[in-house]
Amino acid sequence: MRLVQFITENGKRRVGVVDGDNIAPLAGVETVSKLAAIAIDGGMTMIEAAECRLDEARESYDVIVSSGRLLSPIDHSDPAHLLVTGTGLTHLGSASARANMHQATSKAADETDSMKMFRLGLEGGKPVSGEKGVQPEWFYKGDGSIIAAPGDDIPSPSFALDGSEEPEIAGVYINDPDGAPVRVGFVIGNEFSDHVMERQNYLYLAHSKLRACAIGPELLLGELPGHVEGVSRVYRDGEILWEKPFVSGEENMSHSIDNLEYHHFKYDLFRRPGDIHLHFFGTATLSFADGVQIQDGDEFEITAEPFGRPVRNRLAVQSAEPIKVRVI
C-alpha cells in the first residue's frame, strides 16, 4: 500500500491510498502522522489503520498533481520536530563511486578513510539477530523545512559549489509517546548534496549535506523489498542529459536496515516523543561521479517501481543573502 498527502479542492488536508490513477481518501485523517498515531494507539499496522478508514470516494491523481495540491508524504506541523539525517558508504559500489568523485590532491588519504569505512560495513554491517553491528558514516541534513514538495524547486544556496542528485531510499519514523521509534514506511528520494565542496576535503562532508532534499510523492507501507531497481535522470532544456539505473535494498547494501536504524536511534536526543525522522540509507549512483556538472534549471527525476510515481524537482540557485551577526 502507498499513501499520499494532498489538499482537497476546498482547501482541507487529507491522506489517501494510491489506487492506480486515483486516490482513495481516508476518512477523518488529515496527516500521515495522525494515521501513525491511530495505528500506535490501536496496536495496528499502518495498512490496517488505513484499510478501516477507506472512503468510497475517489479523486483523480493527475488532477491533484496538475493543480499543485500534492504534498510531501511526511511532514510535521512544527518543522523543527522533523529531523532529516542519513548514512553513507552503505551500498555495494558506494566506495568506488566515492573514489571517482574525489579527484583532489588529497585523493589518496580520502580513499583510504572511505575504503576503511566501507570495509567495516562489509565485515560488520549485517550482524546476526540480537547483536550490534558496526556503525556507519552518519550525517545531518536539516529539519522539515528543507524538504521540497513534489514538483517544487530544490533550492541551492548562492555559496554552493555544486548541487546534484543522490537517488536514495529513506525510512520514515515517528517516536511514540514513550519515545520508542516506530517505522512508518519508506520513500524514494533525492538526497541532494554539494559534491564539489565534499571533494575539496572529506571533512567538508557535514557542510556539503546541509542542503535541501526531496522525497515521495508516495509513502510505501510494509517491508522494503530486498532488491529495488530504479532509474535516476537529469534533464536539461527538456532533454535527458544523463541517465543511469541504480539498485538499493538490503541485497545491495553492506549494512542491514536494522543496523542503520539502531545506530541512529541509539542516541537519546533522537528518541524524543512525537518527533518525526526521515533517514536516508545511501546510494552508489551519482551523475557527479560520471563528470556531470549540474546547472541552474536542470531537472532531476528519480523513480523506482515499488514507490509509484517518480520524485521530480528542478534546481533553483538562490540569490546571495547578507549575513551579519548583531551584538546585543
Side-chain angles (χ1 to χ4, degrees):
M1 181 181 287
R2 300 190 305 274
L3 303 179
V4 296
Q5 296 191 125
F6 66 100
I7 304 292
T8 64
E9 289 183 337
N10 59 5
K12 295 183 179 180
R13 287 187 59 129
R14 295 294 292 272
V15 174
V17 174
V18 178
D19 181 15
D21 291 331
N22 294 307
I23 301 297
L26 301 183
V29 181
E30 299 83 21
T31 65
V32 164
S33 58
K34 180 175 180 179
L35 183 66
I38 292 171
I40 292 170
D41 291 342
M44 298 179 286
T45 66
M46 288 287 287
I47 293 177
E48 290 169 340
E51 285 178 335
C52 63
R53 286 163 177 78
L54 275 172
D55 197 316
E56 292 183 1
R58 294 291 186 273
E59 295 211 26
S60 167
Y61 201 157
D62 289 336
V63 170
I64 292 174
V65 172
S66 63
S67 58
R69 294 187 283 118
L70 190 61
L71 305 172
S72 290
I74 190 67
D75 56 5
H76 195 291
S77 57
D78 180 356
H81 286 278
L82 194 166
L83 301 181
V84 185
T85 55
T87 58
L89 293 171
T90 55
H91 282 61
L92 306 178
S94 56
S96 60
R98 180 76 65 88
N100 289 339
M101 191 174 72
H102 288 272
Q103 300 293 332
T105 55
S106 59
K107 176 180 176 182
D110 184 86
E111 283 186 336
T112 299
D113 289 339
S114 295
M115 187 57 71
K116 183 185 298 184
M117 180 69 74
F118 180 68
R119 291 190 189 281
L120 285 172
L122 283 178
E123 296 167 0
K126 292 183 176 180
V128 297
S129 180
E131 294 188 6
K132 299 179 179 64
V134 65
Q135 61 187 0
E137 177 187 63
W138 182 96
F139 58 84
Y140 171 75
K141 279 193 71 67
D143 63 19
S145 66
I146 70 166
I147 302 174
D152 281 2
D153 290 342
I154 287 187
S156 183
S158 60
F159 55 79
L161 304 178
D162 167 59
S164 49
E165 87 300 329
E166 294 201 13
E168 302 189 23
I169 293 171
V172 177
Y173 308 86
I174 293 180
N175 293 335
D176 72 14
D178 296 321
V182 178
R183 187 201 300 152
V184 174
F186 300 94
V187 291
I188 196 72
N190 181 352
E191 194 255 295
F192 190 73
S193 300
D194 186 336
H195 300 103
V196 172
M197 180 178 291
E198 181 188 347
R199 188 177 65 180
Q200 289 181 338
N201 189 307
Y202 74 96
L203 295 178
Y204 282 153
L205 176 71
H207 285 279
S208 75
K209 295 298 186 181
L210 289 172
R211 298 292 186 270
C213 67
I215 57 171
E218 303 174 20
L219 174 71
L220 175 67
L221 304 183
E223 292 299 322
L224 182 70
H227 176 75
V228 176
E229 296 182 8
V231 178
S232 181
R233 299 182 180 93
V234 177
Y235 292 85
R236 180 170 295 166
D237 299 325
E239 302 291 334
I240 295 177
L241 174 68
W242 174 88
E243 179 181 40
K244 197 167 189 176
F246 68 90
V247 293
S248 191
E250 285 194 355
E251 293 176 15
N252 303 292
M253 297 171 64
S254 53
H255 286 260
S256 65
I257 300 296
D258 286 348
N259 192 52
L260 300 181
E261 291 172 340
Y262 167 74
H263 285 293
H264 178 72
F265 289 106
K266 67 184 181 183
Y267 295 101
D268 293 344
L269 77 161
F270 295 150
R271 299 196 306 274
R272 186 167 51 191
D275 278 6
I276 296 174
H277 290 254
L278 176 66
H279 193 66
F280 285 96
F281 295 143
T283 187
T285 305
L286 312 168
S287 66
F288 184 83
D290 289 342
V292 176
Q293 295 182 332
I294 301 298
Q295 298 178 6
D296 189 21
D298 287 351
E299 186 175 15
F300 307 109
E301 180 186 78
I302 297 168
T303 183
E305 189 274 332
F307 297 92
R309 298 199 180 194
V311 53
R312 272 196 200 92
N313 302 87
R314 191 180 306 274
L315 178 71
V317 177
Q318 296 175 305
S319 300
E321 295 184 25
I323 305 296
K324 183 175 177 59
V325 176
R326 185 166 59 96
V327 179
I328 58 174

